[in-house]
Amino acid sequence: EVQLVESGGGLVQPGGSLRLSCAASGFTFSTYSMNWVRQAPGKGLEWISYISGRSSSIYYTDSVKGRFTISRDNAKSSLFLQMNSLRAEDTAVYYCARDSPSYSYYYMDVWGKGIAVTVSS
Amino acid sequence: EIVLTQSPGTLSLSPGERATLSCRASQSISSSSLVWYQQKPGQAPRLLIYGASSRATGIPDRFSGSGSGTDFTLTISRLEPEDFAVYYCQHYDNSLMYTFGQGTKLEIK
């Protein structure tokens, strides 16, 4: 079964750091690009970061540039998001999501269940 | 920057009825980059439609997508109780990667 499982969330103070992990199984992880998407309480979806299969291409949305770092360990089928200088507005459920295998279409076809991050003093 | 605007914000219908959800882009986009997701409370989004009109694996044929240019539509031909959820459209471009519409909540009337 294709599966993504996030971990590492929790409560952190403003200015603090947190590292999210996403464990992949059921597919050849290294051949897929991956994404992080977040959803603030009661709000819509926001894409925040992308990493290609070999980590050669990395992108971030403007609001997290310079604060968040995406990475992956293909040997361990794991995706990471290092989050520094956290702000209250980073409070959200964070999802890891697999990128489409197609070069013709662009979508996220497998999602984890999400992990909650709360930034508060 | 391309902005996706979904309408209506909330759609109230009864099971068995037809639902039509709209996603309008602020400028013309490629159909290959337009995607629809369904999200139920407390759950992750689920891929429904990609390439504006192709159903994802396992998606019932009562779900269909159409449109081109700036106007795209998700149609649910005959609503089942499990279809009441929030629906998001999404666009991809090389510079900004993925952007989402604000969502349409489909609720039971």
Side-chain angles (χ1 to χ4, degrees):
Chain A
E1 179 192 3
V2 175
Q3 196 172 10
L4 298 171
V5 179
E6 302 93 341
S7 61
L11 174 65
V12 61
Q13 291 188 338
S17 297
L18 213 52
R19 190 191 196 211
L20 303 183
S21 300
C22 172
S25 59
F27 64 99
T28 305
F29 181 70
S30 61
T31 65
Y32 286 86
S33 299
M34 298 293 295
N35 298 276
W36 286 100
V37 176
R38 69 183 178 184
Q39 186 169 35
K43 302 297 183 183
L45 301 169
E46 179 187 24
W47 169 83
I48 57 172
S49 188
Y50 163 99
I51 186 168
S52 61
R54 296 185 178 183
S55 305
S56 55
S57 296
I58 288 176
Y59 303 100
Y60 301 97
T61 193
D62 285 347
S63 63
V64 308
K65 279 180 185 174
R67 300 189 299 123
F68 290 11
T69 303
I70 191 172
S71 63
R72 63 190 297 160
D73 183 338
N74 288 340
K76 296 182 178 179
S77 295
S78 295
L79 176 71
F80 305 102
L81 186 68
Q82 177 67 43
M83 304 186 294
N84 298 331
S85 303
L86 283 161
R87 307 166 179 167
E89 53 265 36
D90 296 317
T91 294
V93 172
Y94 286 72
Y95 297 98
C96 64
R98 189 177 79 172
D99 209 65
S100 59
S102 167
Y103 291 107
S104 301
Y105 298 102
Y106 306 93
Y107 52 83
M108 291 175 264
D109 65 343
V110 179
W111 295 65
K113 293 186 177 183
I115 191 77
V117 171
T118 303
V119 184
S120 175
S121 55
Chain B
E1 177 184 344
I2 294 174
V3 176
L4 298 179
T5 302
Q6 293 185 240
S7 62
T10 302
L11 183 58
S12 300
L13 294 170
S14 300
E17 291 192 293
R18 181 185 186 91
T20 302
L21 287 66
S22 173
C23 177
R24 178 163 290 179
S26 57
Q27 57 187 279
S28 184
I29 62 174
S30 169
S31 296
S32 66
S33 68
L34 198 284
V35 179
W36 290 93
Y37 298 92
Q38 175 194 67
Q39 187 180 34
K40 296 180 181 179
Q43 296 186 17
R46 173 193 182 195
L47 175 66
L48 291 178
I49 301 286
Y50 65 92
S53 61
S54 297
R55 272 188 302 276
T57 303
I59 301 303
D61 60 7
R62 64 181 181 273
F63 290 90
S64 64
S66 63
S68 63
T70 59
D71 292 307
F72 297 87
T73 300
L74 174 69
T75 301
I76 310 171
S77 60
R78 189 175 173 83
L79 286 166
E80 297 287 343
E82 62 267 27
D83 298 337
F84 292 91
V86 179
Y87 292 84
Y88 294 94
C89 60
Q90 174 218 284
H91 165 253
Y92 167 89
D93 71 50
N94 286 332
S95 58
L96 292 176
M97 294 300 296
Y98 293 108
T99 55
F100 291 91
Q102 82 279 17
T104 289
K105 181 180 181 181
L106 178 56
E107 64 176 23
I108 299 177
K109 187 174 181 179

